[in-house]
Amino acid sequence: MSGPRPLTAVIFGAARHAGSYAPILAAQPGVTLRAIADDPMAPAWAQDDARRLGERLAIPVRNDVDDLLADPGVDLVVVCSEPARHAALATRALRVGKHVLVDKPMAVTLDEAADLVATTRTAPGRFTVMHRLFSPGIVRARAAVDAGHLGLLRAIDIEWLASDGLAGEAVEHPELVADPALSGGGELMNFLGYPIGYLRDLTGVEVAEVYAEVASLFFAPHQRHGVEDFGFLSLRLEHGVVATITVGRVPRGPAPGAVAATLRLIGSHGRMTIDESQPTLDVWTRTERRGSTIGGDAGPRTVTAAIAEFLRDIREERAPRVGANDGWAIAAAVDAAYRSAALGQPVAPRRA
Amino acid sequence: MTIPVAIIGAGAIAHEHLLAWRAIPGVDVRWVIDRHPERAASLAALAGAAWSVDPGVALADPAIRAVDICTSPDSHAALTIAAARGGKAIHLEKPAALSLADLDAMLASVRAAGVPFMVGQTARFQPVHLELADAIRRGEIGRPRALHVTWQAGHVWPNGWRAWQLDADRCGGHVVHNGVHAIDLAVWLLNARPVRVFARGFATFAPEMPTPDSFHLTVRFDDGSLALLEFAYALRGRGDAYRRIVAIGEDGSLSHSTEGEAGLVSDAARLPSAATAGAFDRQLAHFAAVVRGEAEPIVPPWQVRAALAGALAARRSAETGRAVAIAEAEA
């Protein structure tokens, strides 16, 4: 009996989401997770993180990225370094013919993003950047749009807020999201790609103008490094579609889980609201009320689906749901948000 | 002590106000004024009051203690100044004025006359906002730093293309006359002054309508806090309504949405949300207490000015496509 085509994967860098992606990857049929690896030149803390993660998950840890890149037995590279090295590691892996899944953000500058996109044009491997388009609420909304139930979308309001998590629950070192040398920016760099991805997926049109009002309102590491932890954005898309995005890290977002993500869609023929934490099954005891999202938390579900679907893309030679051009458009919108915040005026995203 | 009241303007809002006035003990609506005699007579009949087309008649009536100005915004300045000179307590519909120069003249005449004055910022009197403000004051979320307000409705203004709400010369345009509701709410809850506004309007149903039926605006405040205020008259069903508010503080968040509220489902009618219903009753009862000297107005002059400055800047932003500093709007 033949199962899915075997694929051998390695994870480059052990920052942030490596801890959650690795077990998902290892659990996929036909996938061997051979190693967690980093450059010998990677900072000591990164090597330490990799060693700890490897021990926890019983996966070999190596510091010979080049050897693994040269190994024809390695099919897939998952890049989970600190964001400032994402693009460079992804580009190296693509150039030697590997399939690449890079954690978000794909790149922290548009120059790097351009190099990466150019590389994908000639590289034989499949490429994707982590996204949340398989979140069940987004899938439902997209189906409603595709069925014509909403008519033409006219206005979209997305609120995407992470609750704290800086004491190790979600972020093992605050610098990974707050020190531009590692993170490339603040929480817009970290998170804004998700709601921009929602906008592009639901509307099918590109962002034409971004105005960003950002601030460092809540967290000392962000204030110390002079980066934003929060922002409100006003966007104009093609065809006069308008949108707002509320994004950032806050002490406690208005939802039970780690991420409070809600959308409000107004179309010419209908409207829709999406709350990624709903629907819930509520438990009422004598002393407390708690609830769980029916079907499970949206976060792990969308990440698991994104990984599983990318493996199918590789095996079936399909175009990934989020490819290099999508990655560019998202990076360009994030870049526009930063330029707008610095200028205090709306700006247009740069075109590829 | 009875408060004899004159209502000036007999449009849709005046009708709502009359219903609220009639429920307040000790208030006696004695005059209804409107430039359209049939409208004035019709509302006056409902009130059991006299009517006129001339506001001067009511302002010259020594028995009248308070006026409720419900006319279109372009007439607010002249009527407010005349009422102050006549020694009347003034309840004024929003937006208070169409320019800061007008507002400053109005505030100066009110101050000089020493009469009670309050702008009817109705959203403050909606139960959800009163309780949200209380929760902030109790310190439930620490210092509030960001506010996201979404108001959506399937609403059209009365009188079709004749609606004054479509005429920016008469009302400042939608971004001013309804934007000031949400900006005032943010000024009140964050207790801060806007310093920069960006506004984006869009017309949903009639692409060439002279003012956008919908808009959103970002506001940066002088203490660094931020607001995103969204206002859409873009829902397809007349009477459809959706509301949501999230306040984010240094120790937590407050949130409310009408989605959680079970409501009437009927083709014939909609019921207002219990989270927002009854605001005019509370607003005018509060004003009556102000007139009697039992309360200070919940809407102080500095907040009236801050909200109007924000709304005028928002209009300029929507028209130019640029973010507007309040200092520019002052100029």
Side-chain angles (χ1 to χ4, degrees), chain B:
Chain B
M1 176 177 47
T2 302
I3 304 175
V5 170
I7 299 177
I8 304 179
I13 283 296
H15 192 273
E16 301 279 336
H17 282 205
L18 175 61
L19 296 178
W21 282 125
R22 284 165 51 151
I24 302 169
V27 167
D28 184 12
V29 175
R30 297 210 183 154
W31 281 105
V32 174
I33 312 292
D34 197 285
R35 62 196 178 112
H36 303 291
E38 67 287 359
R39 272 203 227 167
S42 167
L43 195 66
L46 211 56
W51 65 270
S52 173
V53 294
D54 177 12
V57 175
L59 296 180
D61 181 346
I64 291 298
R65 187 135 172 240
V67 298
D68 182 13
I69 300 173
C70 296
T71 53
S72 59
D74 53 329
S75 59
H76 285 183
L79 286 170
T80 300
I81 290 167
R85 287 184 181 149
K88 312 300 184 193
I90 300 162
H91 181 271
L92 174 65
E93 256 300 325
K94 57 82 219 169
L98 295 181
S99 75
L100 291 174
D102 276 358
L103 180 65
D104 288 341
M106 293 156 69
L107 293 174
S109 62
V110 162
R111 219 169 23 244
V115 293
F117 172 75
M118 193 179 94
V119 174
Q121 293 297 352
T122 304
R124 296 191 186 204
F125 295 92
Q126 294 171 342
V128 56
H129 299 141
L130 287 168
E131 297 199 11
L132 195 138
D134 275 348
I136 288 174
R137 265 193 293 277
R138 286 198 306 273
E140 298 273 11
I141 60 166
R143 185 181 174 208
R145 302 300 278 141
L147 184 71
H148 183 190
V149 176
T150 307
W151 291 344
Q152 300 174 354
H155 182 79
V156 285
W157 294 295
N159 305 312
W161 288 111
R162 293 184 186 85
W164 58 256
Q165 289 89 344
L166 295 176
D167 183 350
D169 289 342
R170 294 188 64 194
C171 69
H174 196 196
V175 174
V176 172
H177 79 82
N178 263 331
V180 78
H181 268 310
I183 296 174
D184 173 77
L185 190 64
V187 164
W188 179 48
L189 293 173
L190 298 170
N191 195 32
R193 286 180 168 78
V195 293
R196 183 167 66 191
V197 177
F198 179 79
R200 195 187 293 284
F202 62 103
T204 310
F205 290 114
E208 294 183 24
M209 65 190 298
T211 194
D213 59 30
S214 304
F215 57 86
H216 62 244
L217 36 116
T218 67
V219 188
R220 179 177 287 275
F221 289 85
D222 58 358
D223 68 346
S225 54
L226 302 178
L228 172 60
L229 310 170
E230 314 207 30
F231 204 114
Y233 276 178
L235 301 186
R236 200 169 49 88
R238 177 140 162 81
D240 282 355
Y242 172 87
R243 284 196 169 209
R244 181 172 184 273
I245 184 166
V246 176
I248 305 166
E250 289 176 343
D251 295 318
S253 299
L254 293 160
S255 68
H256 168 264
S257 148
T258 52
E259 247 172 325
E261 187 177 359
L264 171 70
V265 179
S266 163
D267 289 340
R270 316 283 165 109
L271 286 181
S273 160
T276 57
F280 285 130
D281 296 349
R282 277 180 217 91
Q283 174 183 327
L284 293 173
H286 170 70
F287 178 67
V290 170
V291 174
R292 292 191 178 105
E294 297 163 0
E296 284 299 309
I298 185 179
V299 190
W302 79 262
Q303 293 184 354
V304 173
R305 199 176 190 288
L308 184 65
L312 294 172
R315 175 185 178 180
R316 188 181 294 192
S317 174
E319 288 171 354
T320 61
R322 310 284 292 164
V324 174
I326 297 302
E328 273 178 69
E330 291 271 4

Side-chain angles (χ1 to χ4, degrees), chain A residues 16-17 104 160-178 183 186-192 194 215-222 227-231 246-254 258-260, chain B residues 145-146 248-250 253:
Chain A
R16 303 293 323 273
H17 300 110
K104 54 81 193 170
W160 203 102
L161 298 170
S163 289
D164 200 332
L166 290 175
E169 311 91 325
V171 182
E172 61 275 30
H173 313 292
E175 292 74 18
L176 287 171
V177 294
S183 60
E187 299 295 355
L188 263 60
M189 184 60 73
N190 189 18
F191 291 135
L192 181 56
Y194 288 146
S216 181
L217 296 177
F218 302 111
F219 297 104
H222 299 72
V227 296
E228 77 292 339
D229 51 22
F230 186 87
T246 302
V247 66
R249 187 180 302 279
V250 300
R252 180 67 214 225
V259 172
Chain B
R145 302 300 278 141
I248 305 166
E250 289 176 343
S253 299

